[in-house]
Amino acid sequence: MADVQSRFRERLQEMSDQQNRQLEKFISRQIAEQGGIDFATFMELCLYHPGDGYYMKDRARIGKQGDFFTSSSVHALFGGLISTQIRQMWELLGQGEFTVVEQGAGDGHLAADILDSLQAEATELYAHLSYRIIEISPDNRRRQTERLSSHLKRVTWCNEVELPSFRGCFLSNELVDAMPVHVVERRNGEFQELFVVNTDEGCFGEELRPDSGILQDYFEWLGQAPSEGNRGEANLAAVGWMKKVAAKLEKGFVLTIDYGYPAEELYAPFRRNGTVMCYHKHSSSEDPYRLVGEQDITAHVDFTALQKAGGEAGLKPLY
């Protein structure tokens, strides 16, 4: 039996390696055709390519057999605490019908813990609750459906476009850190954007190119920027995302849980190399060009940018 299991694991690894090489070749072709791609495009392909991206294919990502842990995958207490906050939000809104929208629900641990807690401790809210999950990964949807089998009368799935306006709470846990980021360096007072290129050795390399003006505009809007000689990230996608979330929310709250800093600390002079990190089998590295499609790639969240974008869209920062 052990030999059969060993051969099965080896076969799975062979299939994974083949997918990995396919994605590498696809990205290499994109680079050749376009003369290089910015890091945000590279990161998006590594994580979200429809067939071979890290978050899109069938693989363990969270937990002991995966690449990292999240708070909700360790213990139900985290979800219980969030459910208490949701109950307070419901009461502040005058009770009645209430929608929780969770984007990027992973394996569904947090959703299950929240729903279990509300069902046991807030039965009236649970009876008026609609729990909507925005999820682009077919593999994650399957895992969520299995884990939430006892709550399917309360849960529906959709994409960002399909989400109607709602009253309640928009929830995300470790979502924004996985949005593709532009990587920038400041040289002689000017912003240089990092592009990914093919090297003569047949691997991926980096090349700095003059900013087209987009990053200059972003940092002027933000009011903070990397120091001279430093590398940093600009999560342009997060700004647009926050404004879209605000547009969908008729009345209620946005609760964004992640790891990151206010802009002043994120771009502090001592943070010379930025915050891009990779995770594979519970080991971290700063090399996003290996294990393409097989490792998670993240960057710390700029909470100042999220608050500023939300404020411009009508949200008021509370905490």
Side-chain angles (χ1 to χ4, degrees):
M1 186 64 172
D3 289 341
V4 173
Q5 292 177 338
S6 177
R7 288 196 297 271
F8 180 67
R9 285 194 296 268
E10 289 175 358
R11 179 54 182 156
L12 287 178
Q13 186 60 52
E14 289 175 2
M15 294 171 62
S16 178
D17 291 342
Q18 290 173 1
Q19 288 181 316
N20 184 22
R21 288 191 291 271
Q22 288 174 357
L23 183 56
E24 283 186 357
K25 292 177 181 178
F26 176 82
I27 294 175
S28 182
R29 288 196 300 271
Q30 295 297 307
I31 291 172
E33 292 172 3
Q34 300 178 40
I37 57 177
D38 58 53
F39 186 83
T41 301
F42 175 81
M43 182 173 172
E44 182 172 12
L45 289 172
C46 289
L47 298 181
Y48 303 110
H49 180 276
D52 301 322
Y54 175 79
Y55 280 106
M56 304 301 285
K57 56 189 174 186
D58 185 358
R59 61 163 291 143
R61 286 173 282 272
I62 302 173
K64 186 177 181 180
Q65 303 303 320
D67 300 310
F68 54 86
F69 288 100
T70 63
S71 297
S72 56
S73 68
V74 175
H75 199 281
L77 177 62
F78 183 69
L81 292 171
I82 300 301
S83 73
T84 299
Q85 181 71 83
I86 288 173
R87 185 175 182 178
Q88 292 170 346
M89 294 173 176
W90 176 65
E91 292 170 350
L92 287 169
L93 291 181
Q95 303 185 359
E97 299 301 317
F98 189 92
T99 299
V100 174
V101 178
E102 183 182 1
Q103 185 168 359
D107 286 359
H109 285 103
L110 182 58
D113 293 339
I114 290 172
L115 289 165
D116 286 346
S117 180
L118 292 177
Q119 186 179 41
E121 302 176 13
T123 54
E124 185 178 354
L125 168 55
Y126 184 82
H128 288 85
L129 182 68
S130 173
Y131 202 105
R132 305 199 67 151
I133 297 177
I134 298 175
E135 182 58 67
I136 63 173
S137 167
D139 181 47
N140 278 344
R141 280 202 185 198
R142 177 184 61 79
R143 295 171 187 268
Q144 293 158 11
T145 302
E146 293 174 355
R147 183 157 279 113
L148 299 172
S149 59
S150 62
H151 298 290
L152 292 181
K153 290 184 178 180
R154 305 255 68 89
V155 181
T156 56
W157 283 262
C158 66
N159 59 38
E160 287 183 332
V161 176
E162 295 168 340
L163 178 68
S165 297
F166 68 97
R167 173 183 176 275
C169 173
F170 193 103
L171 170 66
S172 69
N173 178 45
E174 297 192 29
L175 169 72
V176 183
D177 66 86
M179 292 183 180
V181 295
H182 294 263
V183 175
V184 60
E185 289 189 16
R186 198 168 190 175
R187 301 284 183 90
N188 299 318
E190 302 292 330
F191 294 113
Q192 302 275 315
E193 182 168 9
L194 187 148
F195 274 69
V196 182
V197 297
N198 295 322
T199 69
D200 294 337
E201 292 75 25
C203 54
F204 297 126
E206 298 181 347
E207 182 178 291
L208 291 176
R209 299 181 181 178
D211 171 34
S212 65
I214 296 176
L215 296 176
Q216 177 73 41
D217 291 344
Y218 173 80
F219 289 119
E220 288 181 358
W221 168 82
L222 182 63
Q224 295 283 341
S227 300
E228 177 66 31
N230 283 11
R231 174 175 288 196
E233 300 87 32
N235 194 334
L236 306 184
V239 173
W241 168 81
M242 181 56 77
K243 292 182 176 180
K244 286 189 289 185
V245 169
K248 294 287 188 178
L249 185 64
E250 293 179 353
K251 189 175 183 180
F253 304 85
V254 179
L255 181 57
T256 303
I257 304 164
D258 226 311
Y259 51 89
Y261 304 103
E264 184 178 6
E265 186 174 352
L266 185 67
Y267 300 118
F270 67 83
R271 205 177 304 283
R272 297 190 58 82
N273 298 317
T275 66
V276 171
M277 291 293 293
C278 306
Y279 298 91
H280 178 72
K281 296 189 182 302
H282 301 284
S283 295
S284 63
S285 81
E286 297 180 2
D287 184 359
Y289 307 117
R290 58 187 288 271
L291 297 172
V292 173
E294 291 296 318
Q295 64 176 353
D296 191 19
I297 307 174
T298 75
H300 278 45
V301 174
D302 181 349
F303 286 109
T304 300
L306 292 184
Q307 291 177 344
K308 188 175 178 65
E312 291 178 352
L315 299 177
K316 178 182 178 181
L318 296 177
Y319 305 104

